[in-house]
Amino acid sequence: MTEPDDILVGGEFAKFRAAYAPVVHPAGTAAVRRTVHRRRQRTATVSAAAVVLAVAIPVGANAALDRRPDPSPAPAQTIAPSPSESTSPPSRTPTPSASPSTVSPTRAGPDGRISRSELLGAQVDLPAWVPGSTCTAGPTRIATEHLSEDDVLLDGLVHGDVDGDGAVETVALLRCQLFQQGPSQVVALDRDAQGRIVVLGQVARSAKTAPQWLLDAQVTDRGTVRVEMADLAPATDWSLDWSQRQWRDYRWSGTRFTQVDGPTSFGPNPHLADLTVSAGNVTWSAPDADGARTGTIAVTVRNLSAVPAGLVKLHLRMQVGTVADGGDWSACRDGAPPKGPIICRFGPLGPGVERTFRFGLRNTNNASGTGIAEVTPVGSDADPLMDPNHDNDEDRYAYGCIAVGLPAEESATGSTPVACHL
């Protein structure tokens, strides 16, 4: 720039300062302090934002890494808190931890629910039956129908937890069928670890005397096995309606089934009377002019049972040509039988009571041999009466004893010596 130009520009600046200097005022120290304070506040805000970002970015990165399928993510960095962060004490409320339980759940036993179709045809190691049975203990195949004397038939099937292991077992009513009769038993069945059918234990079985018949089995909610039983088994001349029935309850003790409730025995059956008979030999007199002989037989009947016999039938089986003739035939309800079988009906005969008769007889031939005295309790269709013991229902006697004056044997009256031809 030339010197005249410098002089011209300088003059213009001088005029500008002279015109505006009076109205322009400097900021002063207060304005400087305000400016510095604003700059420091802006710097603090920026620093705090940087700290927040420094914490949030690694946490978010760790969360993203945790969602990755890689089971071994890299460990997250630990970041020290900034002095500008809050210094309030942390909460002391404990956080529940998911620690594993130390109590193992009880495992249920093997599933012992066995269907009828599974059991039929299966071979089961059965417990012993009543002694003397045609069926034996040991491996036995359960039959579907009665084909031979030693077939074991399935007569009932129920299910329930009878041993308390949390699993269901099977309770079966089995019968060793022999015509209408046969021993029976109730067994509890289960499965072993391989799924095979095994016997847990025998619950109950029939007996020779009582109970002779098992009718039904049930399992309660508490695992009690209930067995219905009868004192007498059905037969051709005996209906189960005449048998006494009762329920007995059994529980598993850990090793076997024991009875826990119900009766333990049967009382006297009102339809049974145990009668016994004994007879002496017949003493015949010498033949008369017509060739007929007369004689006497002493017969004693006793009631061995605790049940009274309302009516008793006594039958004397003798040779042809012998008829009733005098003596105690008048004590019979029907009197002396005119012809046919020599039978006397009498009664009642109480428990433990015995009665002796001396029957007169007449015979028109000289036959000799052995006769039979037979006693039977008599009932009705509405109130039948049976004799359970047939071993003492009969007694044999000789009817060929002739009074010959020889001391071979005393007669029934004990007065006349006789000789008996048997």
Side-chain angles (χ1 to χ4, degrees):
M1 184 178 294
T2 62
E3 184 177 352
D5 293 333
D6 290 338
I7 294 172
L8 180 62
V9 171
E12 292 297 327
F13 272 108
K15 290 178 182 181
F16 178 80
R17 282 193 297 269
Y20 289 96
V23 297
V24 176
H25 303 282
T29 59
V32 172
R33 288 192 186 99
R34 285 194 299 271
T35 302
V36 172
H37 177 70
R38 283 196 299 270
R39 290 177 179 176
R40 286 181 178 177
Q41 204 171 30
R42 188 180 302 114
T43 302
T45 301
V46 172
S47 299
V51 171
V52 172
L53 290 175
V55 174
I57 291 173
V59 172
N62 286 338
L65 289 174
D66 288 340
R67 290 192 295 268
R68 293 176 57 191
D70 183 5
S72 304
Q77 260 186 331
T78 301
I79 301 178
S82 170
S84 62
E85 292 180 323
S86 172
T87 57
S88 60
S91 173
R92 297 185 179 274
T93 303
T95 302
S97 60
S99 58
S101 174
T102 58
V103 179
S104 301
T106 303
R107 291 191 61 186
D111 184 9
R113 181 181 292 273
I114 303 167
S115 66
R116 181 180 180 87
S117 59
E118 287 179 296
L119 191 55
L120 290 177
Q123 185 165 282
V124 182
D125 193 8
L126 293 180
W129 302 81
V130 59
S133 171
T134 57
C135 292
T136 57
T140 305
R141 189 167 297 279
I142 309 301
T144 57
E145 58 181 340
H146 176 57
L147 298 176
S148 62
E149 291 185 358
D150 57 353
D151 283 338
V152 175
L153 305 182
L154 177 61
D155 208 19
L157 198 67
V158 291
H159 300 93
D161 183 7
V162 300
D163 60 359
D165 65 349
V168 172
E169 287 79 41
T170 300
V171 176
L173 171 58
L174 305 176
R175 198 176 309 284
C176 179
Q177 191 74 15
L178 180 62
F179 301 106
Q180 287 185 330
Q181 295 182 315
S184 47
Q185 63 173 302
V186 173
V187 295
L189 304 172
D190 205 348
R191 297 184 192 272
D192 60 13
Q194 288 72 39
R196 294 170 298 196
I197 300 175
V198 294
V199 175
L200 177 66
Q202 185 183 73
V203 181
R205 74 179 186 184
S206 60
K208 284 187 174 182
T209 53
Q212 294 183 359
W213 198 255
L214 305 184
L215 297 102
D216 195 9
Q218 299 175 354
V219 179
T220 68
D221 294 339
R222 298 180 59 233
T224 300
V225 182
R226 308 191 69 223
V227 180
E228 185 185 18
M229 50 190 66
D231 58 343
L232 299 177
T236 303
D237 54 355
W238 184 265
S239 170
L240 273 176
D241 295 335
W242 307 333
S243 299
Q244 296 182 105
R245 301 187 183 190
Q246 58 185 222
W247 286 91
R248 300 182 186 180
D249 294 357
Y250 299 84
R251 294 278 294 179
W252 178 249
S253 67
T255 57
R256 62 190 181 95
F257 284 94
T258 57
Q259 186 177 352
V260 295
D261 198 7
T264 57
S265 61
F266 287 92
N269 190 300
H271 301 291
L272 293 181
D274 185 11
L275 305 180
T276 182
V277 62
S278 60
N281 296 325
V282 178
T283 302
W284 295 109
S285 66
D288 59 14
D290 297 331
R293 299 177 301 170
T294 58
T296 304
I297 183 173
V299 182
T300 299
V301 179
R302 185 177 182 183
N303 185 355
L304 301 178
S305 65
V307 176
L311 186 62
V312 179
K313 181 178 75 171
L314 175 62
H315 186 188
L316 300 179
R317 301 181 183 275
M318 307 185 74
Q319 75 268 35
V320 177
T322 302
V323 295
D325 184 28
D328 289 338
W329 291 107
S330 59
C332 303
R333 288 196 177 186
D334 303 327
K339 293 181 180 180
I342 304 175
I343 294 176
C344 174
R345 291 182 176 88
F346 68 94
L349 189 65
V353 176
E354 70 176 28
R355 188 169 180 179
T356 299
F357 300 90
R358 297 186 183 277
F359 296 122
L361 301 170
R362 181 179 178 84
N363 183 269
T364 57
N365 59 50
N366 295 325
S368 62
T370 301
I372 300 176
E374 182 181 48
V375 66
T376 308
V378 178
S380 63
D381 292 340
D383 186 22
L385 198 61
M386 305 290 291
D387 191 337
N389 184 11
H390 299 293
D391 295 337
N392 57 7
D393 293 348
E394 298 178 353
D395 190 30
R396 295 180 178 272
Y397 59 90
Y399 59 76
C401 302
I402 307 298
V404 294
L406 300 175
E409 181 179 323
E410 291 187 357
S411 66
T413 61
S415 59
T416 305
V418 294
C420 294
H421 308 280
L422 299 179

